[in-house]
Amino acid sequence: MTATTEAAGPRAPRPVPQARGGAVVQSVRDSLVVARRNLIRMARIPEVVIFGLIQPIMFVVLFSYVFGGSIAVGGSTDPDTYREFLMAGIFAQTVTFATAGAGAGIADDMHKGLIDRFRSLPMARGAVLTGRTLADLVQTALTLVVLAVVAVIVGWRIHDGVLKALAGFALLLLLGYAFSWIGALIGLSVRTPEAATSGGLIWLFPLTFISNAFVPSDNMPAVLRHIAEWNPFSATVQASRVLFGNLPEGYPVPGAWPMQHPVLASLLWSVVIIAFFRALAVRKYRSAA
């Protein structure tokens, strides 16, 4: 009995599976898978989260008790007044400083070749970056919860109800998510995680300190005052103070449009930053080697 065999020709490539509902559904699904992968990774390295909490807690304690009676806010040098004025700035600084961690994480994945493996898979192009930024958003939210508890312990309070306070925290997280896309672009543009960390922090210090986060902007020189009043960071800080009810009596609200309409300005700034830097980051991801 003879067996006949046929020469097997090369197989055609398998079609890329499409999620039910189209490309948008597939992109969402892939992004959530990548986000879950990054959250599991964070849970297995808890020291990253712990060390990320130490710095903002130190800022709360140091600024509250070292500078609390030395800086006048609304004509008052009462430490309690400054403490409530300060907390929105500390919250905003915390969510934006997470940018450096996002950039370093993506740069580390690039350095290890993980991004190249993701690019070889049949998945949405922007899902890797979206999943990473979503995972960072979850970590930032947990950090804010812990930081808010510490703030309450040192004397910070909200005065306009829980719903407005939640809206203030939502604006803070939206700003943090927007800035994480800047970190993603930096992480894709450098060669090492160390460079991403340095590149992610070097521009954040002037952005956060030339603002209304720690001192009222009306005492700054004219040029710096205008920069601070149109700073997207300042808009979110001002919006959070308004929603938390932490603007002290007699505090002079600057005449710049973002300071007069801080909630709307904060939303607009965050949406513009997300749209612009997400497009740049996804483009960079597609061409990254």
Side-chain angles (χ1 to χ4, degrees):
M1 180 176 181
T2 60
T4 60
T5 60
E6 297 180 357
R11 293 184 178 181
R14 298 179 62 183
V16 177
Q18 293 291 327
R20 186 176 300 174
V24 175
V25 175
Q26 180 184 1
S27 179
V28 172
R29 184 190 64 181
D30 294 343
S31 298
L32 293 177
V33 170
V34 176
R36 180 175 178 271
R37 171 255 176 191
N38 282 284
L39 289 173
I40 292 174
R41 182 184 181 185
M42 291 176 186
R44 292 176 178 175
I45 313 176
E47 57 267 25
V48 174
V49 179
I50 294 172
F51 291 153
L53 287 171
I54 293 176
Q55 178 178 323
I57 291 175
M58 288 176 60
F59 270 106
V60 171
V61 176
L62 290 176
F63 273 86
S64 297
Y65 293 106
V66 175
F67 301 109
S70 303
I71 300 177
V73 179
S76 172
T77 56
D78 182 15
D80 293 333
T81 301
Y82 179 70
R83 192 173 295 119
E84 293 200 343
F85 174 86
L86 168 72
M87 284 315 306
I90 295 292
F91 290 149
Q93 185 190 55
T94 300
V95 300
T96 53
F97 271 39
T99 301
I106 292 176
D108 185 53
D109 289 343
M110 286 281 294
H111 184 68
K112 293 178 178 177
L114 189 62
I115 294 295
D116 290 332
R117 298 177 188 175
F118 280 134
R119 290 174 58 190
S120 66
L121 297 175
M123 59 191 303
R125 287 298 186 186
V128 173
L129 302 181
T130 302
R132 174 75 204 197
T133 54
L134 288 175
D136 290 331
L137 181 64
V138 173
Q139 181 180 353
T140 302
L142 295 176
T143 303
L144 269 186
V145 170
V146 175
L147 195 58
V149 172
V150 175
V152 170
I153 292 174
V154 300
W156 173 72
R157 297 293 183 270
I158 58 174
H159 301 287
D160 284 345
V162 176
L163 292 180
K164 284 190 174 182
L166 291 177
F169 283 116
L171 286 178
L172 289 166
L173 290 174
L174 183 62
L175 180 71
Y177 182 70
F179 275 45
S180 68
W181 281 105
I182 303 178
L185 180 61
I186 293 173
L188 291 169
S189 303
V190 298
R191 296 183 180 181
T192 63
E194 294 79 9
T197 301
S198 300
L201 289 175
I202 194 170
W203 61 275
L204 280 174
F205 278 102
L207 184 79
T208 55
F209 281 94
I210 306 178
S211 71
N212 60 359
F214 306 111
V215 295
S217 60
D218 57 319
N219 293 328
M220 296 180 181
V223 175
L224 293 182
R225 183 173 69 250
H226 290 306
I227 294 174
E229 291 171 358
W230 287 88
N231 186 342
F233 183 83
S234 294
T236 301
V237 171
Q238 187 79 350
S240 300
R241 287 188 181 127
V242 170
L243 294 170
F244 294 153
N246 289 157
L247 278 180
E249 294 183 6
Y251 178 76
V253 178
W257 185 86
M259 297 296 100
Q260 294 291 327
H261 309 277
V263 175
L264 179 58
S266 176
L267 283 172
L268 290 176
W269 272 119
S270 295
V271 170
V272 168
I273 292 171
I274 291 173
F276 182 74
F277 283 97
R278 186 185 188 279
L280 290 180
V282 172
R283 182 179 178 182
K284 184 68 177 178
Y285 170 79
R286 288 175 177 174
S287 61

